[in-house]
Amino acid sequence: MASNRNLLVLPGDGIGPEVMNEVRKIISWMGKKRAIGFDIKEDLVGGASLDKHDTPLTDAAMKNALDADAVLFGSVGGPKWDTADFSKKPERGLLRLRKEMDLFANLRPAKVFDALVDASSLKPEIVKGLDIMIIRELTSGVYFGEPRGRQTNAQGEVEAFDTQRYTVGEIRRVCAVAFELARKRKNKVLSSEKANVMHTGVLWREEATKLHKEKYSDVKLEHMYADALAMQLLRQPKEFDVIVTDNLFGDILSDEASMLTGSLGLLPSASLGAPDATGRRKALYEPIHGSAPDIAGKGLANPIAQTLSYAMMLRYSFDLGKDADMVELAVENVLKAGYRTGDLMVGNTQGTKKVGTQEMGDAIVKELDRLA
Ligand code: NAD
Ligand code: IPM
Ligand code: MN
């Protein structure tokens, strides 16, 4: 079906291709039942690309990503490539995509489904109804700061170094995304850094405060050191609405937040660039989990994070909010009906049914059929 929607699919490594296959079922369902078609290209990334092309991302794949309206990404990496040269590690493919597409705002929502309240490692009353949005800066900080590398120092000892670096502009643009989003939610932003020990933290806090005063004083703004936030996220997570933080803290805190919801296998994300003159943004959608080498190839992976990443794509790149709602509702209902992949078989599992990746994907499609 011809459409104006150009989508690049990058399944990647490990469980990436497995969970992507389940999303393909939903894509084809949407095409048939709701006339939502995509012009789909597919390419290799990560270890899969390294094996074939000796690089974790070819220039051709990079160009396809830049030309697409949206990229749907699986996951990269795995022990097979542990010994690969640093510049060729599978993860470099993903980092190149983020950098060259300038995807500076990574939205990582963590929502607790009622049906999974018991799957969280925290008490039900702490997590029931939880709905937070972590906004992680994604194209700067210690992930990209120069200088970085390894050298033998004057004492003859080998040392390695990375640089945490932020410009005023980089801080302001990601904080602006947080304030804008908060206005559509509970109107609260928590900005997090370590201004007590890091220069970048001091600058981050100053700029968040200035921007707030200039343009967003209607939004409630608070600041918290990242270590304290790690603690408060477990103590009283429902206190938070939108959290904005740097690249590394955001990586760590979002994995932590996933455990409030029950599993890493549930959390989607959207990585967005700045809107161009026509209002369109470059965008890449990916689960926050990795390639899960421990369960890859066994049909055990939870496809929900990938499915919800697809729903975020419908919402943020194609203005198909109603269809995104429908996919999210289908996921919620399937969980309500008791379907659980292995990662969700924790806590009280009474009345649940353990299923594999494909059965979970099929159950979601069946539920979409029922909802339609
Ligand atoms: P991981 O997220 O792959 O796995 C952590 C744990 O969570 C594992 O026990 C895994 O089985 C489980 N898990 C993750 N996703 C799951 C799912 N959908 N269903 C059920 N269980 C799930 O993290 P890791 O083990 O630290 O990293 C493995 C590889 O993935 C590394 O090479 C790492 O660099 C890479 N990684 C890639 C991405 C990405 O591509 N965006 C993200 C994180 C890690
Ligand atoms: C993530 C991952 C990546 C990161 C890796 C695979 C580069 O952990 O998306 O959370 O550290 O950003
Ligand atoms: Mn991570």
Side-chain angles (χ1 to χ4, degrees):
M1 188 189 318
S3 82
N4 296 321
R5 304 186 194 98
N6 294 304
L7 175 60
L8 176 66
V9 174
L10 298 172
D13 307 321
I15 62 168
E18 296 174 52
V19 293
M20 195 66 87
N21 275 339
E22 301 314 304
V23 173
R24 279 184 228 277
K25 291 178 187 168
I26 303 176
I27 292 177
S28 93
W29 185 91
M30 282 281 172
K32 270 189 237 137
K33 301 287 172 75
R34 299 190 56 97
I36 297 172
F38 294 96
D39 291 321
I40 301 182
K41 278 191 183 160
E42 182 163 337
D43 224 317
L44 299 174
V45 67
S49 174
L50 187 62
D51 286 349
K52 182 146 185 225
H53 301 297
D54 196 36
T55 169
L57 188 76
T58 61
D59 291 342
M62 186 66 239
K63 181 171 185 309
N64 282 339
L66 288 167
D67 290 345
D69 295 311
V71 178
L72 193 60
F73 185 96
S75 54
V76 290
K80 183 177 175 195
W81 305 284
D82 273 353
T83 52
D85 188 69
F86 188 83
S87 65
K88 287 187 178 172
K89 280 200 178 296
E91 291 78 1
R92 303 309 307 172
L94 175 58
L95 295 172
R96 179 177 177 199
L97 284 162
R98 290 173 179 171
K99 190 69 178 174
E100 291 190 27
M101 292 171 79
D102 200 17
L103 306 172
F104 66 93
N106 184 213
L107 280 47
R108 298 191 159 191
K111 250 183 167 176
V112 171
F113 290 103
D114 279 347
L116 291 183
V117 160
D118 290 318
S120 171
S121 44
L122 273 78
K123 294 194 193 89
E125 62 270 26
I126 305 281
V127 295
K128 191 171 189 313
L130 177 84
D131 178 1
I132 57 181
M133 174 71 87
I134 296 180
I135 300 184
R136 167 187 178 195
E137 197 292 325
L138 202 61
T139 51
S140 185
V142 77
Y143 273 65
F144 296 98
E146 295 288 342
R148 60 209 334 263
R150 206 185 246 255
Q151 66 189 16
T152 303
N153 67 19
Q155 288 72 42
E157 195 179 2
V158 173
E159 59 182 26
F161 48 98
D162 298 278
T163 303
Q164 165 86 336
R165 186 181 292 273
Y166 270 105
T167 67
V168 167
E170 287 168 342
I171 296 168
R172 285 175 69 98
R173 66 179 184 170
V174 74
C175 287
V177 171
F179 288 127
E180 298 282 348
L181 255 173
R183 280 183 176 157
K184 296 184 200 144
R185 297 170 48 100
K186 292 181 206 132
N187 218 32
K188 261 173 40 177
V189 170
L190 180 93
S191 169
S192 187
E193 24 55 16
K194 274 185 69 75
N196 50 346
V197 288
M198 296 167 79
H199 288 289
T200 46
V202 174
L203 187 65
W204 187 286
R205 191 172 287 216
E206 279 169 17
E207 291 306 321
T209 305
K210 269 194 222 161
L211 181 66
H212 175 250
K213 212 169 174 183
E214 283 164 28
K215 286 173 87 175
Y216 298 102
S217 54
D218 55 302
V219 181
K220 185 170 178 213
L221 170 67
E222 286 178 331
H223 308 271
M224 197 180 283
Y225 298 138
D227 52 349
L229 176 55
M231 182 276 283
Q232 290 295 351
L233 266 177
L234 299 184
R235 198 170 86 95
Q236 42 176 10
K238 281 191 270 184
E239 284 302 299
F240 303 109
D241 178 23
V242 174
I243 292 172
V244 62
T245 189
D246 78 11
N247 204 340
L248 184 59
F249 294 143
D251 181 42
I252 296 168
L253 292 168
S254 57
D255 265 30
E256 184 190 2
S258 77
M259 287 320 293
L260 304 170
T261 72
S263 168
L264 198 52
L266 294 169
L267 260 61
S269 89
S271 306
L272 307 176
D276 66 14
T278 67
R280 290 162 84 88
R281 297 166 174 269
K282 293 222 182 319
L284 179 148
Y285 299 86
E286 55 168 325
I288 82 159
H289 65 70
S291 57
D294 52 335
I295 57 166
K298 297 181 183 160
L300 299 175
N302 187 345
I304 290 179
Q306 190 77 59
T307 301
L308 295 177
S309 299
Y310 163 77
M312 286 188 93
M313 177 185 91
L314 296 180
R315 190 182 306 286
Y316 289 100
S317 280
F318 300 112
D319 206 15
L320 294 166
K322 284 218 175 73
D323 301 277
D325 287 346
M326 197 172 162
V327 173
E328 287 166 5
L329 183 61
V331 167
E332 191 175 340
N333 288 348
V334 161
L335 292 170
K336 231 182 250 167
Y339 289 86
R340 300 281 186 274
T341 41
D343 54 309
L344 300 173
M345 295 301 284
V346 286
N348 179 3
T349 55
Q350 221 186 352
T352 63
K353 180 175 185 268
K354 190 170 176 186
V355 296
T357 309
Q358 294 185 21
E359 282 168 286
M360 183 60 102
D362 290 340
I364 294 169
V365 171
K366 212 168 148 204
E367 180 57 19
L368 281 171
D369 257 334
R370 205 189 60 84
L371 289 171

